[in-house]
Amino acid sequence: MARPTAVKSDLLVDGSITSLHPPWEQEARWTDIPQVETTSPTRLPSQQRRSTPGNPLSSRLPTPKERIAFKTQTSRQRAFKPVTATFFGDLRYNLYTIWLFTFSDLKTIVGPKTAFGIVHAIYASEFGIPSLPLSSIASRIPVVLFWCWINLLPFAINNQRQDEAIVEDKLNKPWRPLPSARLSQRKAKLLVFSLYPTAILASSWIGGFYQSLALVVLGSLYNDWGGAEVNCMIRNLLNGAGYISFASGALSAAFGSQFTPTLALIKWLAVIFVVVATSVHSQDMYDQEGDSLRHRKTVPIVIGDARSRWTIAAAVGFWSVFCPWYIGTGNVYIVPPILGAIVMYRTLTKRTNSLAFEETAREEDKV
C-alpha cells in the first residue's frame, strides 16, 4: 500500500529537472556533470550526439567516466533524504488511507459502541452481572475503543472494495480511498484477508472473541454474498445483527475474560436488535442516489422517500417510549421521548438531497 511515486520526466532544454521529481531529486542536475558542453541548446540530452570532425556544431554525451563520477556525487548528496522522506511520507499516507476507510462509521459504530460497552459495564449489576470498579472500567476504555475499530476496519474495507460500492462512493463519498484512487482493489482485498485474522486474534486476547467471529460471518453475508442487495428487510436484519455483535463485543472487551452474559442482558440486546432492524434505514436516506445507481434494494428505494420517513418516525416514537419503560429509567424517563420527538420532527420536515432525488426520479418515470 505504498504511495505511488512520481514518474521521472526527461530533462528540460536548460538542463533542469521537471517538477514531477520529488524535491530531494531536484538537487542533482545534468548541468552538474563536468566538461559537458552544449553548443545546440535546442536539443535534449537524449537527442545529442558525440562531436565529430565533420559535425562541429553537435554536442556530445557524457563519457562513462563522467557518468560514474556524477552518480557517485549525487548518491552521496542523497544518501539519507530519500529513505527518511519516503518512509515517513508513505507511513503518513497509508495511515490516513486507513483512517478514511472508517471515518464515516466513527460516529455510527466506534463512538456509540464504545459508549455502550463502558456504560453497560458500569451498570452491569442491573442485568445480574457483578460490576467492576470504576477505575478498572476506565482503564479499559482504550481497549474497548480499539476492539470496535479493529473489527470495523476489515468490514469497512470489504464493503467499499466492491465494484458497485466504488461507483456509489464516486457520487456519495468521493473522498474514500478507492474512488479517489489512493488504493487499488487488489490491495484492498489483501488488506481484508489480513485484517480479519488480526481482528480475531486481538479479540481472543482482549475479549469479544465470539462477537468478532460473528462479524466476519455477517460481513461476508452482507458484502460478498449479496445480503445487502437482495432484499431491504434482509439488509436491515443483517444491520441489526451486526449492531448487536458490536455492542455486546464492546461490553465483553470492557470486562475482558470476566464477562458472562445473563438472560436479562440477552433480552435487552434482543430489544436493541429489533430497534435497529426497524429504524436503521434512516442511514439510507442520504444515499438514495448512489444506491439507485448500484441497484441496491434499500427501504427508501423500495417504498419511496416519504413512506420511509414515516416508518422511521413511527419506530423512533414507539421505541423512545418503550425502551425507557422496559429498562426502568426512573426519574429520567421523560428524556428519551423528548429526544425521540425531536428526531421524528426533523425526519419528517428536513428534506434535502433525498427529496430532490425523488422528484427527479418521478420526472424520469413520466418521460
Side-chain angles (χ1 to χ4, degrees):
M1 200 168 62
R3 178 175 54 182
T5 57
V7 179
K8 293 184 179 180
S9 61
D10 206 344
L11 301 176
L12 298 178
V13 174
D14 60 356
S16 61
I17 298 177
T18 62
S19 59
L20 290 180
H21 284 266
W24 54 80
E25 293 189 1
Q26 296 182 16
E27 295 181 2
R29 303 179 184 276
W30 281 95
T31 53
D32 295 334
I33 303 178
Q35 300 178 0
V36 177
E37 298 178 359
T38 303
T39 57
S40 179
T42 60
R43 294 178 180 235
L44 296 175
S46 59
Q47 300 171 326
Q48 295 170 358
R49 297 167 294 174
R50 292 185 181 275
S51 299
T52 60
N55 187 13
L57 295 180
S58 64
S59 58
R60 65 179 180 84
L61 290 172
T63 64
K65 187 183 230 181
E66 292 169 344
R67 287 183 179 275
I68 293 174
F70 172 73
K71 290 181 179 179
T72 303
Q73 176 187 0
T74 55
S75 63
R76 289 174 181 172
Q77 293 174 351
R78 303 180 300 170
F80 299 101
K81 286 185 180 180
V83 176
T84 55
T86 301
F87 174 77
F88 289 110
D90 289 347
L91 179 62
R92 181 177 57 185
Y93 183 90
N94 294 334
L95 290 177
Y96 187 64
T97 300
I98 293 296
W99 169 263
L100 289 176
F101 273 116
T102 57
F103 175 74
S104 59
D105 294 314
L106 295 177
K107 64 180 181 298
T108 58
I109 297 295
V110 177
K113 302 309 170 290
T114 301
F116 181 96
I118 297 302
V119 172
H120 281 70
I122 295 173
Y123 294 97
S125 59
E126 299 292 333
F127 303 97
I129 302 174
S131 298
L132 296 176
L134 287 178
S135 58
S136 176
I137 297 175
S139 65
R140 300 283 294 180
I141 292 178
V143 176
V144 178
L145 186 65
F146 174 76
W147 186 94
C148 293
W149 183 80
I150 196 61
N151 282 276
L152 169 66
L153 181 59
F155 175 86
I157 298 176
N158 196 23
N159 176 262
Q160 297 173 31
R161 73 177 180 86
Q162 310 296 331
D163 293 334
E164 298 83 358
I166 296 175
V167 173
E168 177 187 355
D169 285 339
K170 283 182 179 179
L171 184 64
N172 294 334
K173 300 178 180 71
W175 45 264
R176 280 181 166 175
L178 290 169
S180 62
R182 294 180 64 91
L183 189 72
S184 66
Q185 285 181 274
R186 185 184 68 84
K187 291 183 178 180
K189 186 176 182 179
L190 292 176
L191 272 178
V192 172
F193 289 150
S194 61
L195 286 171
Y196 267 134
T198 302
I200 294 173
L201 289 174
S203 300
S204 66
W205 178 48
I206 63 178
F209 174 72
Y210 295 107
Q211 291 88 341
S212 182
L213 290 177
L215 287 171
V216 174
V217 175
L218 291 170
S220 299
L221 286 172
Y222 191 89
N223 296 313
D224 300 317
W225 299 336
E229 318 290 338
V230 178
N231 184 278
C232 61
M233 292 306 300
I234 294 177
R235 173 182 169 85
N236 280 23
L237 291 174
L238 288 174
N239 274 289
Y243 194 100
I244 291 305
S245 298
F246 272 110
S248 59
L251 179 57
S252 178
F255 273 89
S257 59
Q258 309 174 36
F259 177 71
T260 302
T262 60
L263 181 60
L265 178 62
I266 294 174
K267 289 181 178 179
W268 174 234
L269 291 174
V271 171
I272 297 176
F273 167 78
V274 181
V275 171
V276 176
T278 54
S279 60
V280 70
H281 53 282
S282 60
Q283 298 183 13
D284 298 324
M285 304 303 294
Y286 176 79
D287 294 335
Q288 292 182 58
E289 190 172 358
D291 288 336
S292 66
L293 292 176
R294 191 174 176 176
H295 304 289
R296 173 181 277 173
K297 291 180 173 59
T298 63
V299 174
I301 298 297
V302 173
I303 69 174
D305 181 89
R307 292 178 180 176
S308 297
R309 291 177 181 276
W310 279 105
T311 60
I312 295 169
V316 171
F318 175 77
W319 294 118
S320 60
V321 173
F322 175 82
C323 290
W325 169 81
Y326 179 85
I327 203 69
T329 54
N331 296 331
V332 296
Y333 177 86
I334 194 62
V335 175
I338 292 176
L339 296 176
I342 294 174
V343 174
M344 291 172 61
Y345 170 77
R346 294 184 61 85
T347 299
L348 295 175
T349 58
K350 304 296 182 181
R351 306 186 183 193
T352 53
N353 294 343
S354 59
L355 181 59
F357 168 74
E358 187 178 29
E359 292 175 352
T360 303
R362 289 176 180 174
E363 292 177 0
E364 292 178 353
D365 292 338
K366 292 179 181 178
V367 175

